[in-house]
Amino acid sequence: MSDTEEPKAKKQKLSKKEKKSPKKEEETSSDVPSYEERCEAINILASPLASKKSTKKAHKLVRKATQSKSLRRGVKELVKGLRKGDKGIAILAGDVFPIDVMSHLPILLEEHNVPYLFVPSKRDLGAAACTKRPTSCVLVKDKKVDEELFELLVEEAKAYDPNGGGAEGRRTVQVDGPYNIVEWRGRG
């Protein structure tokens, strides 16, 4: 009886291995969400959101900037870089929650005349920045990393005007004293 039991045990072990290997392949293919699925998880601040093609280009630029050490990762480093006068392009993740973590960044970037784009996933942004952790935002400092990609992304970011475009579309408020609005021009 021991002779008959041994081959059965070997067959069971082989079948377990066979069962495990197809599951791993299925899990890896289903674990990676598509661009459209990632876009469903973005917050309301994520505007301008880069297109699928531009997202790939942004990740490529971040990867090259990481290798040349001309990148600032994270909210604290980005703000510190802006205070020190760093210029470039900021790439922000659109799926950051709670939203308060980076809600001040678009306004700060506009004040410093730094173009910015949102990409759908902080995990992909972290992977492009060669870190194991997800990254909420990066600042690519140098144009020299890849001038063509850099200029292309800057043009796309500058095409988005948060105030509605043109001088007549801008909101202007003239205040006289505390909380006394004298003149209001613009939308709203």
Side-chain angles (χ1 to χ4, degrees), residues 167-184:
E168 66 277 350
R170 296 231 162 107
R171 295 179 185 164
T172 57
V173 178
Q174 185 179 9
V175 180
D176 180 33
Y179 310 110
N180 294 331
I181 297 176
V182 176
E183 183 180 348
W184 172 271

Side-chain angles (χ1 to χ4, degrees), residues 50-87:
S51 65
K52 188 174 184 178
K53 195 181 243 186
S54 295
T55 300
K56 288 182 181 180
K57 290 178 183 178
H59 291 316
K60 187 176 181 180
L61 181 68
V62 169
R63 200 169 299 115
K64 288 183 177 185
T66 303
Q67 292 169 353
S68 68
K69 301 198 191 260
S70 61
L71 185 81
R72 292 200 178 258
R73 292 182 201 99
V75 176
K76 288 175 82 175
E77 275 193 52
L78 192 141
V79 171
K80 183 170 71 173
L82 289 175
R83 273 189 282 129
K84 288 184 176 183
D86 289 347
K87 296 290 180 183

